[in-house]
């Protein structure tokens, strides 16, 4: 695919290879909190309290605009 180009000039802003370590840590933190709350006999926390996607290593996107063709290569 020598002539493969991006259709939209938008790329992610990241230096991380994957979100997997962040997601694993957040799910682990959620499970521990839920276990502790259930053991205490209280109401479990809302799922949205854990795993904020904007706090991860791979967050956000950037617009390349009318960038050079080198930036639009896949």
């Amino acid at each position: 695919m020598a002539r493969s180009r991006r259709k939209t000039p938008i790329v992610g802003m990241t230096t991380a290879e994957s979100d997997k370590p962040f997601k694993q840590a957040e799910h682990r933190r959620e499970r521990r909190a839920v276990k502790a709350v259930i053991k205490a006999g209280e109401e479990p926390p809302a799922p949205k309290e854990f795993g904020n996607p904007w706090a991860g290593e791979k967050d956000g996107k950037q617009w390349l605009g009318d960038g050079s063709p080198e930036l639009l290569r896949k």
Side-chain angles (χ1 to χ4, degrees):
M1 295 179 54
R3 297 181 184 268
S4 179
R5 301 277 188 250
R6 290 183 194 279
K7 290 183 173 71
T8 55
I10 299 174
V11 294
M13 293 189 304
T14 182
T15 56
E17 289 288 321
S18 172
D19 257 349
K20 187 175 182 176
F22 170 73
K23 288 181 178 182
Q24 284 178 334
E26 286 301 304
H27 287 294
R28 205 171 287 133
R29 190 168 71 94
E30 180 181 9
R31 286 192 302 269
R32 286 185 190 138
V34 169
K35 279 184 184 181
V37 167
I38 288 174
K39 196 177 261 189
E42 298 172 8
E43 189 69 27
K48 294 283 186 177
E49 292 181 27
F50 304 97
N52 180 8
W54 297 107
E57 296 163 348
K58 289 178 70 175
D59 64 337
K61 294 186 182 262
Q62 69 183 28
W63 178 265
L64 295 175
D66 294 330
S68 63
E70 293 85 29
L71 296 175
L72 297 177
R73 285 189 194 140
K74 285 187 179 176

